[in-house]
Amino acid sequence: MALFGTDGVRGLANGPLTADLALSLAQATAVVLGQGRIAEARKAAGKRLTAVVARDPRVSGEFLTAAVAAGLASSGVDVMDAGVIPTPAAAFLISDIDADFGVMISASHNPAPDNGIKIFARGGVKLPDVVEERIEAALAWPKLQPTGAEVGRIRRFSDAEDRYAIHLLASLPHRLDGLHVVLDCAHGAASGVSPQTFSDAGAKVTVIGADPDGININDGVGSTHLDKLAAEVVRTGADVGIAHDGDADRCLAVDANGAVVDGDQIMAILAVAMKERGALRSDTLVATVMSNLGLHRAMAAQGIAIETTSVGDRYVLERMNEGRFSLGGEQSGHVIMSEFATTGDGVLTGLHLVAEMARTGKTLAELASVMTVFPQVLVNVRGVERSRAGDPDVVAAVEVASAALGDTGRVLLRPSGTEQMVRVMVEAESSETAERIAGELADVVRG
């Protein structure tokens, strides 16, 4: 089984993800990413390679970060320890200081016992599959073992958060003055930088979920638990609520009435705004196959094309890079604005969403009305072979359901990438129709 998943190496800390594995991965990364023209030129000039290392606040991140830093320094790489910052901040800093690569210790929206290791290449970009495969293979290769003055140094990246905040503020097309924002930081990596940056941008800020203790990350708060945010927005009479996940690479929102505004709606709002100011390259948005049919209809009405990818922000980013597009993302709130970021950035997204409210004088509900959300039902059929998604009877049933829906809905079946499970997704003009068809297709998948 491959060590790397769709977003780095992830698992139970001190279960599959041990300090030994973290150290070995760091050593293997130094071997693989220490190659190449630029790296070789630096070494030829007598310079050591440099890596940015950062983490979210979960308690296991402390020993995993220490292990990663030890593995890199023992391989002759200088380490800039940025401490607790969002994943997109780490990616930005790699580019900002021209580091050779970087490592983020985080399990994103997962509960506190889990953790993960994400590796970024030069420029703060995620590694392609082939490079991850080389790093995994390099676990069995000889390690770099410099001695004396050739070993790496570990230094504190003292202005990491300030650099990131300045970058965020410089990206804004409009200040946030006059708007009251409730922020839910998921007791995660954005607990410091997000409230300060929104405040510096002019917003009145109320904060929840910003008291990380190492074990409460994502616990009943953040982008996967929006009830508390919605209640606080309504209670305080705020204009908008913004929710991050544990490493702040995603953003979801709630309007003044507490209604959820998901990633598809956020992308619709930003796409229209960016097109108006000429910042939406090729008038194109990149989204995944899971994005709502309502997004496709709304963008067509606005003269905006949609490029569709497989599920996963890495695939969105790959297509954006291929086509040099400026906006893409997922329904889950991973939104990539390539002019300012190399990965999904929940703080950046939230700032630009609220800036559009300030610029237009419209409520979030008014902005979100550009898109009508089709009812969407997702059924996870567990305990079946993933190959069932391609079974002739299943394929035939999907064709019949799709024909019945016509242009009033759609059907998507896809096998899980990690479990013995097939996901059945149906969109239709009514919830009743979507639930009925999804249930019928799930029965066919079960056989």
Side-chain angles (χ1 to χ4, degrees):
M1 182 178 293
L3 184 63
F4 285 87
T6 56
D7 200 13
V9 177
R10 192 175 296 186
L12 180 65
N14 260 355
L17 185 55
T18 62
D20 286 344
L21 176 58
L23 186 143
S24 296
L25 267 173
Q27 292 173 321
T29 299
V31 171
V32 173
L33 298 188
Q35 302 171 356
R37 179 178 55 83
I38 296 177
E40 294 299 335
R42 290 193 177 183
K43 287 186 283 189
K47 299 178 180 179
R48 288 190 294 268
L49 302 186
T50 300
V52 174
V53 176
R55 65 182 180 90
D56 71 24
R58 65 190 76 214
V59 64
S60 60
E62 297 174 3
F63 76 76
L64 290 171
T65 299
V68 167
L72 294 176
S74 69
S75 301
V77 178
D78 285 341
V79 175
M80 297 295 291
D81 183 353
V84 175
I85 56 172
T87 291
F92 163 74
L93 291 168
I94 294 164
S95 174
D96 194 47
I97 69 168
D98 193 27
D100 296 280
F101 58 92
V103 181
M104 179 71 190
I105 311 298
S106 175
S108 190
H109 60 278
N110 284 29
D114 291 342
N115 218 323
I117 298 175
K118 304 179 185 181
I119 303 169
F120 292 90
R122 179 184 302 280
V125 298
K126 291 188 175 181
L127 300 181
D129 292 344
V130 64
V131 177
E132 289 184 340
E133 290 167 2
R134 288 185 64 203
I135 291 173
E136 187 166 346
L139 289 170
W141 298 353
K143 311 305 179 202
L144 302 174
Q145 293 182 301
T147 59
E150 300 304 313
V151 301
R153 307 294 295 273
I154 301 173
R155 296 182 174 89
R156 175 69 177 152
F157 199 151
S158 58
D159 63 342
E161 192 169 281
D162 289 341
R163 283 177 180 249
Y164 175 57
I166 291 169
H167 160 70
L168 292 173
L169 291 168
S171 78
L172 280 179
H174 200 285
R175 284 183 57 82
L176 315 184
D177 301 278
L179 291 174
H180 182 184
V181 182
V182 179
L183 295 175
D184 182 348
C185 299
H187 297 309
S191 295
V193 68
S194 186
Q196 185 61 53
T197 307
F198 272 85
S199 180
D200 288 346
K204 174 185 175 182
V205 177
T206 298
V207 185
I208 64 174
D211 297 300
D213 62 8
I215 57 174
N216 61 357
I217 189 170
N218 301 315
D219 187 6
V221 290
S223 60
T224 53
H225 305 279
L226 294 172
D227 291 349
K228 289 182 181 178
L229 176 62
E232 188 67 9
V233 168
V234 172
R235 186 189 72 80
T236 60
D239 298 292
V240 58
I242 298 294
H244 305 307
D245 60 339
D247 70 337
D249 64 353
R250 68 170 71 180
C251 166
L252 294 179
V254 298
D255 67 21
N257 299 313
V260 173
V261 176
D262 69 12
D264 284 343
Q265 294 166 289
I266 291 171
M267 286 192 291
I269 294 167
L270 294 180
V272 171
M274 290 171 64
K275 184 186 178 189
E276 286 182 3
R277 64 175 188 267
L280 188 68
R281 293 186 202 138
S282 302
D283 289 342
T284 298
L285 170 68
V286 181
T288 77
V289 292
M290 291 299 290
S291 279
N292 195 273
L293 178 60
L295 178 63
H296 290 259
R297 289 194 171 185
M299 294 299 92
Q302 296 290 330
I304 296 171
I306 292 186
E307 293 272 336
T308 304
T309 75
S310 300
V311 174
D313 64 328
R314 67 185 303 165
Y315 302 114
V316 173
L317 186 57
E318 284 176 5
R319 185 67 194 103
M320 290 177 68
N321 289 337
E322 290 168 358
R324 301 184 63 81
F325 302 124
S326 53
L327 182 66
E330 297 187 283
Q331 190 180 69
S332 60
H334 285 113
V335 177
I336 303 166
M337 305 179 72
S338 64
E339 182 180 354
F340 309 111
T342 58
T343 187
D345 189 329
V347 184
L348 177 75
T349 301
L351 286 166
H352 280 254
L353 179 65
V354 180
E356 183 61 8
M357 294 174 61
R359 184 187 73 84
T360 61
K362 293 181 178 180
T363 66
L364 182 56
E366 288 172 327
L367 290 175
S369 68
V370 70
M371 171 183 161
T372 299
V373 179
F374 275 53
Q376 187 179 80
V377 174
L378 178 66
V379 178
N380 292 324
V381 185
R382 301 181 184 276
V384 299
E385 293 293 329
R386 293 193 288 270
S387 60
R388 283 291 294 168
D391 182 90
D393 290 341
V394 174
V395 172
V398 169
E399 290 175 351
V400 170
S402 297
L405 286 168
D407 62 359
T408 66
R410 68 183 181 122
V411 175
L412 175 67
L413 256 72
R414 65 182 188 92
S416 167
T418 58
E419 301 178 68
Q420 291 298 107
M421 179 169 68
V422 173
R423 305 185 194 278
V424 179
M425 190 275 284
V426 178
E427 290 172 350
E429 290 184 318
S430 71
S431 298
E432 293 78 11
T433 299
E435 290 172 358
R436 176 180 57 79
I437 294 176
E440 291 171 353
L441 290 175
D443 287 342
V444 175
V445 172
R446 294 186 187 98

